[in-house]
Every structure is written in structure tokens, then in C-alpha cells.
Amino acid sequence: MSAATATLPSQDDIERAVRVLVRPSDAPLRGAFTRRALRAVACLSRQMGEASLREAVSAPSDYGVLLTALESEPGLAALKPDDPLAEARLRGIVARQRLLTAEGGTLSVQEVASLLNISRQAAYKRYRAGRLLAVDYGRHGLGFPAWQLVPGGVLPGLEETLAALARLDPWMKFAFFLEENIATDGKTPLAALRKGRLNDVLRAAELHGKHGAV
């Protein structure tokens, strides 16, 4: 038995932790998830070196700690035997997280409605009409990037750009605004819109739309 294995928490330790974290009234499935997650985290923490642990705990959120740990060499080594695409999946998750936290993060539909001085229903209607960008969090509702709003309303040129990107999914639209683009002189389309360069952004959107549709 290796030293790492010898110092892992016992099944009794795990069960005690589950009893603390999961209420008796919770569904058994929640307990099963917590039990397996605790085992995985305990095992991974024993396999990570000090540098990897330091990098993980410096993440700005608890979920970020987990993502950083899974991206470490021990984390990928643990995932790859069962999922050869694990590294690619993690890269996608990390990329989406960066999009969600960039330029002020995201807002709820209520926050958007308050900032625009409209009702929640009107905010939803704008989103469904493609006049506002949002990503669907499922049961947690929609997340609207804060950068599309400016004092007094919506970023000028946003609606025209979203119309040009209409065929793309929300994540591709999100990435378009925040990634450097040759058509906007190496700046992000968001930065170009802020400078009033709508024609350049629309040209970039047209090229991006063609690429995304292939």
C-alpha cells in the first residue's frame, strides 16, 4: 500500500462527513454524489504536489479550485483512463468560465430589467428577439453579460452585431465579442464597439458567422 493510499480517509470517515453535509431528508442520490465527490477530492489532494495545491487554492472560487485541480497533472492522469477527452472537456469548461467572468461578469434578468428600467418580461422579450445576449444556466435562469449594458441603455451597435451573428449559438457569440479579431485591428469587437467602430465589427461578424456555419 502506498503512503498516499494509507493516508486517505476511511469509508467511516467519508460516511461521517456525508452525514454532516447531507440532510437526512435529502434524496439518496445527493448523498451518493457527495460520497463519491469527497472520495475523489481526498484522493486527488494526496496526489497533488505543493505547487499544484498552491495554484488550486489561489483560484477565486470554490469551483475554480476544483477546475484548477483537475487541470493539474495528477487530475488529468486520474481522468484520462476513463475519459480520453477529459483534457479537451476541461479546456472547454475553463474557457466558458473565463467568458462568464470577463468584463464585469454576468447579470440576472432582474438586474438587466432594473438597469434598463423595463419589466422582466420585456427583458426576456428582448433576449428572445436576439436583441440581448444571454447564456442559459438551466434551472438557474439566464446569465446576461454585463458588458452589453452601458449607462442609459444598451451598448451602441450591439443589436446590429447580434443580428449579424444570429446563426451562431450563444457561446460562439459570447466568444466573438471578447476575443481579439484581425478585422478590428487585433482588438476585441467589444473594444471596437466601445469606440464606435460598428462597420468594422459587422465585417468581423460576417466573417465569424461564415466560419462558425462551416
Side-chain angles (χ1 to χ4, degrees):
M1 179 181 295
S2 68
T5 303
T7 55
L8 285 176
S10 68
Q11 186 61 37
D12 287 342
D13 292 332
I14 294 291
E15 292 302 327
R16 280 194 290 272
V18 171
R19 285 195 291 272
V20 171
L21 296 171
V22 181
R23 297 171 299 183
S25 59
D26 283 337
L29 192 59
R30 197 176 306 281
F33 170 82
T34 304
R35 187 175 295 109
R36 296 191 67 180
L38 287 173
R39 274 201 299 266
V41 169
C43 182
L44 182 56
S45 71
R46 296 298 182 183
Q47 295 172 354
M48 294 170 65
E50 185 175 344
S52 296
L53 288 169
R54 187 179 297 111
E55 182 180 4
V57 298
S58 67
S61 69
D62 291 343
Y63 292 111
V65 170
L66 290 176
L67 281 176
T68 306
L70 289 172
E71 283 188 295
S72 70
E73 186 175 342
L76 290 174
L79 288 172
K80 281 183 176 179
D82 295 322
D83 185 359
L85 298 177
E87 189 169 0
R89 295 179 195 276
L90 282 172
R91 282 200 303 268
I93 293 172
V94 171
R96 289 187 175 191
Q97 180 64 20
R98 287 172 181 157
L99 291 175
L100 291 173
T101 56
E103 296 281 353
T106 59
L107 305 171
S108 69
V109 66
Q110 183 58 61
E111 290 172 319
V112 169
S114 297
L115 289 170
L116 294 177
N117 197 28
I118 59 177
S119 67
R120 284 169 53 97
Q121 292 75 15
Y124 273 121
K125 185 175 180 179
R126 288 197 190 189
Y127 159 70
R128 288 193 295 267
R131 297 171 57 201
L132 284 174
L133 176 60
V135 290
D136 192 345
Y137 291 152
R139 63 186 296 182
H140 297 292
L142 297 170
F144 294 78
W147 47 257
Q148 66 189 317
L149 302 182
V150 296
V154 175
L155 178 67
L158 175 80
E159 293 188 10
E160 294 91 332
T161 307
L162 287 176
L165 298 170
R167 296 178 62 188
L168 304 184
D169 69 49
W171 287 109
M172 293 182 70
K173 296 175 186 176
F174 220 129
F176 167 79
F177 283 100
L178 297 177
E179 292 177 352
E180 296 176 355
N181 196 298
I182 190 171
T184 50
D185 300 327
K187 305 296 184 181
T188 67
L190 174 59
L193 275 186
R194 286 171 172 167
K195 291 184 177 296
R197 297 172 56 193
L198 177 58
N199 288 337
D200 292 337
V201 173
L202 291 178
R203 184 167 61 252
E206 181 182 2
L207 295 173
H208 193 82
K210 288 179 180 178
H211 176 73
V214 172

